Amino acid sequence: MLTFEIVKKLSVICVFLTIPLTDSIAAETPESIAFFEKKIRPVLVTKCYECHSAEAAKNGELGSGLQLDTREGIRRGGDTGASVVPGKPSQSLLLAAMRHERDLEMPPDGDPLNASVIADFEKWINMGAPDPRDGKPVAVGMDFAKAREFWSLQPIRKPALPEVKHQQWPRNDLDYFVSAKREAKQIPPANDATRPVLLRRLFFDLIGLPPTPEELDKFQSVPVAEVVDYLLASTHFGERWGRHWLDVARYAESNGLARNMAWQHAWRYRDWVIDALNSDLPYNQFIALQIAGDLMPSKNRAQQDRQTIATGFLALGPKSLEERKRELFLMDSIDEQIDVICRGILGLSVSCARCHDHKFDPVPTADYYALVGILRSTDTQYGIGPMGIKGVNDSGLIAIGADADKLSGPASIHLKQVQEQTQKRNTARSDRYRVIRRVADHKRKLNKTGEDKAKLKQEIEKMDAEIKDWDQRIKKMDEDLANMVAHPPAQPEFTMGACDYPKPIDSKIRVRGEVTHYGEVVPRGVLQAIEVTNLPKIGKQESGRLQLAKWLTSRENPLTARVLVNRVWQQLFERGLVSTPDDFGVTGSKPTHPLLLDYLAAKFIEQNWSVKTLIREIVLSRTYQMASDVESKGRAIDPDNLFLWHMPLRRLDVESFRDALLAVSGRLNRERRVGSAIQQIGVFSEYEFNSRTKLTPEMMASDHRSIYLPIVRGNLPEMLQLFDFADPNSLVGQRDQTTVPSQALFLMNSAAMIDFSRETADRLLQNKSLNNTQRLNRLYELALSRKAMKTEQAAVFTFLSTEQGLVQISKEALSETEQQRQAWLSVCQALLAGSEFRHVK
């Protein structure tokens, strides 16, 4: 086992184990404001404003001097003190009142609020109580003509290239826009990156893997465009960029929440995304298929199945399966779908309009419920097993494959029989347990005076016999059930996805978001603020998903292309041209380079919505190929690099970090993993196993790329949890970056890191013809895409030649070969745990 002292001795190689890359996040971020709008404001409106608002004060009915409809009012509090103390739930009287503590009650009549609501308020206060309200609430209103003047709702127009002073600097069109902005601020650009640095950057950005020493040699002097084309053609491209989309699509292989049921077929959607990106499926088709692929024409059954798999996008969100109010369950599930469609594709937080007209963006409540009608007419199939119904909120799955029609019937009948047998067995268990309780009750009575003990003993004997009879019957039921589960009929493949209900319906507005408080009926439709000409009307027998897909992907929609271009830019530069990738509305950030954003969006559409062509143009720019060196003058003028005067130093995401460890150690299996480890849980099991999905360490162990690891909500692999993997419970447009002690401890002490280091050392020592200098250079090329510097060589050779290169074990205890192996293990671990390995320059 490596000790801390050994790693510390290699400080010349590994200067820092962790480097903070970002400042602490302020309480009021777009994400935290969205949380307030979705979780906090609706409760305040429906439960509090009647007695604690400006309107109540105007009518002389303000309770306890407490006004909760402004940020100032909710923090100031009322007669009893501050109602909300940001960051301090224990000192916040509002939370105490919700819990009916300290002689406070809110609402004043009836039971405390639902525990999940109280938990949301506690989380909100811990976040710093972000609250966009002031004394005069901001509202865009429903003047759509005026609303469309907002920058993100204006049509995309391709601007002319700006004039620049240094004509020799730009390499392609986008460089002109960057150079013009930078020249206006009088910020000199950084130098060009060296070829080794650029190659490592391109490999990680485009395929998520480091270049091999052989690839470094091959591409050392060829045109950069050839390198880019080689990487874009790699099957690993889809694995890298597919993961970015899966963050947005909140991809997971279990439901999460209280009933964390396994989804054995979610991996089909994952593979569809990878294939779509590898084939450079135009982005407008990529989106349309995920919304309405099942409704689009197809040439054959195989294409039809692929298009159905794409609609798994609608089914992937977590669902409150334990919710007994069916209507509330449906409305919450649809709200989650609206959120991922609108924030993920359009960059608009439309869910705020579930309870009231949007306070910032031009989204009236009626528009929200127009979308609800479309999704309420859609049957989302997420399933509990192969197909069929178990609980009130469970659904089936969609049969696919050439023999789906022939095989799905027998499989469905068999599943129903399994479910019936399971229920019969469970009922028998309950009946047996009731007898056991009666026996226990009789035995207690034997110790009491005045009881007929002889009669009690006789009844106990009869009940003991009855229990034995139940034992035999239940044993037989268990055997029959096991036999049924072990011998399922031939069955088709299944997928999560969506299809239309036979009878589509329009939705009624839910006043203040209350599912039982109905308002007027709203026809199925899309957002009025975004006009698309010649959009087909929704027919009486249509859900409207096909029209929704066409509206989202129309060239006239000003948001879809802008949002995607911004997401691509963010992945390559760490920060988007709009720093709030999921919010292009009033509360989001404005673009730092609006002309560049529109230029790229317009060109993206012109070039048939090709994601690969967009990425190619960006990475071939001089802006992308700059060094990450920080020059003092630029840092003084623009410390946040808003004007792109250098390439930012970026930390590897956890997938690239893990995949790089696998690659350097020689363990990486570059083939696609077939299916998912989640399938090992079983399909035709008793349907009780699914209540809390857990994966064993063996199921999580894999040498395939990280995108193929099982993603179970609430049970992620340790490394993903530690290094800021996207939360699969919600849409994640931009991952958090944390620097915490547990990360450093993992790098120094975890069995996984020691295994990676040992395997890397063995790989180096395998070739007996190499001397130590050659081995060290090979290690640096594998890990850092460069050779070791002389100072680094001197430090390592000094270490290798001393007792400090051993793991606190005397020479007598180890052979000379093992001493060498242990010393190189320490060197490898220091390098793999180091800052340079975990960052891209």
Side-chain angles (χ1 to χ4, degrees), residues 42-43 45-47 325 327-328 331 354-356 369 508-519:
V43 178
V45 171
T46 58
K47 302 294 185 182
K325 297 178 181 177
E327 184 66 17
L328 180 58
M331 293 304 293
R354 179 177 181 178
C355 304
H356 51 76
Y369 286 95
K508 291 181 180 179
I509 289 176
R510 273 41 170 199
V511 179
R512 294 182 178 177
E514 297 284 351
V515 294
T516 57
H517 193 178
Y518 296 116

Side-chain angles (χ1 to χ4, degrees), residues 499-790:
C499 55
D500 277 0
Y501 282 118
K503 294 183 179 180
I505 60 171
D506 292 328
S507 176
K508 291 181 180 179
I509 289 176
R510 273 41 170 199
V511 179
R512 294 182 178 177
E514 297 284 351
V515 294
T516 57
H517 193 178
Y518 296 116
E520 63 180 301
V521 176
V522 179
R524 302 186 298 285
V526 296
L527 304 183
Q528 300 173 64
I530 302 174
E531 283 189 312
V532 170
T533 57
N534 300 320
L535 185 69
K537 291 184 178 180
I538 300 174
K540 290 182 179 180
Q541 301 304 314
E542 295 180 287
S543 65
R545 275 191 297 128
L546 194 57
Q547 289 81 353
L548 173 61
K550 291 179 178 179
W551 173 77
L552 287 168
T553 57
S554 169
R555 289 171 174 260
E556 297 176 53
N557 191 314
L559 288 169
T560 303
R562 281 188 179 118
V563 169
L564 186 278
V565 165
N566 190 65
R567 292 194 189 282
V568 170
W569 190 276
Q570 175 191 299
Q571 297 301 337
L572 296 171
F573 289 90
E574 193 170 57
R575 177 174 45 223
L577 298 170
V578 178
S579 62
T580 53
D582 308 323
D583 189 356
F584 275 45
V586 172
T587 60
S589 300
K590 291 185 177 179
T592 54
H593 297 69
L595 295 180
L596 173 57
L597 179 62
D598 271 18
Y599 180 85
L600 291 174
K603 199 167 182 181
F604 177 55
I605 294 173
E606 286 176 4
Q607 295 173 329
N608 195 31
W609 302 76
S610 169
V611 174
K612 283 189 176 182
T613 302
L614 171 65
I615 292 172
R616 188 179 192 277
E617 177 161 11
I618 294 174
V619 300
L620 289 178
S621 70
R622 194 162 192 174
T623 302
Y624 175 86
Q625 295 180 24
M626 283 190 293
S628 59
D629 303 329
V630 179
E631 192 270 330
S632 58
K633 183 177 179 180
R635 187 172 181 82
I637 299 172
D638 180 23
D640 293 326
N641 195 34
L642 296 177
F643 298 104
L644 302 166
W645 54 274
H646 73 100
M647 194 67 182
L649 179 69
R650 292 168 291 148
R651 187 184 299 182
L652 290 178
D653 58 36
V654 62
E655 296 96 325
S656 295
F657 179 38
R658 179 181 175 275
D659 292 350
L661 288 169
L662 287 168
V664 172
S665 66
R667 269 174 51 190
L668 179 63
N669 184 340
R670 292 174 180 258
E671 298 297 318
R672 172 180 288 187
R673 191 197 194 287
V674 178
S676 169
I678 197 76
Q679 294 171 290
Q680 297 177 38
I681 291 177
V683 177
F684 274 105
S685 57
E686 296 182 25
Y687 303 103
E688 296 175 334
F689 76 96
N690 271 342
S691 59
R692 293 299 299 174
T693 299
K694 292 290 183 183
L695 291 178
T696 64
E698 291 74 23
M699 291 180 186
M700 293 185 185
S702 172
D703 290 339
H704 287 87
R705 294 200 63 178
S706 300
I707 193 171
Y708 301 113
L709 289 173
I711 305 301
V712 173
R713 291 180 170 122
N715 191 30
L716 294 173
E718 178 191 18
M719 193 170 180
L720 300 192
Q721 294 183 59
L722 278 176
F723 291 93
D724 304 319
F725 184 74
D727 180 2
N729 289 295
S730 59
L731 179 159
V732 177
Q734 188 166 21
R735 293 188 183 183
D736 294 332
Q737 277 196 0
T738 63
T739 302
V740 294
S742 55
Q743 294 170 349
L745 293 172
F746 178 90
L747 297 173
M748 291 189 292
N749 300 319
S750 71
M753 280 299 296
I754 293 169
D755 286 344
F756 283 130
S757 304
R758 182 181 295 108
E759 289 154 355
T760 304
D762 289 344
R763 184 181 184 185
L764 296 174
L765 295 170
Q766 213 171 18
N767 190 339
K768 304 297 183 181
S769 65
L770 297 180
N771 58 37
N772 278 348
T773 300
Q774 292 169 322
R775 285 195 184 99
L776 187 61
N777 281 329
R778 179 74 175 179
L779 173 61
Y780 268 72
E781 286 178 332
L782 286 168
L784 306 180
S785 303
R786 66 176 177 85
K787 288 183 169 59
M789 294 184 290
K790 290 184 178 180

Side-chain angles (χ1 to χ4, degrees), residues 276-292:
L277 287 163
N278 276 333
S279 65
D280 201 20
L281 181 70
Y283 182 70
N284 57 343
Q285 295 179 39
F286 178 76
I287 292 300
L289 289 172
Q290 293 180 74
I291 303 299

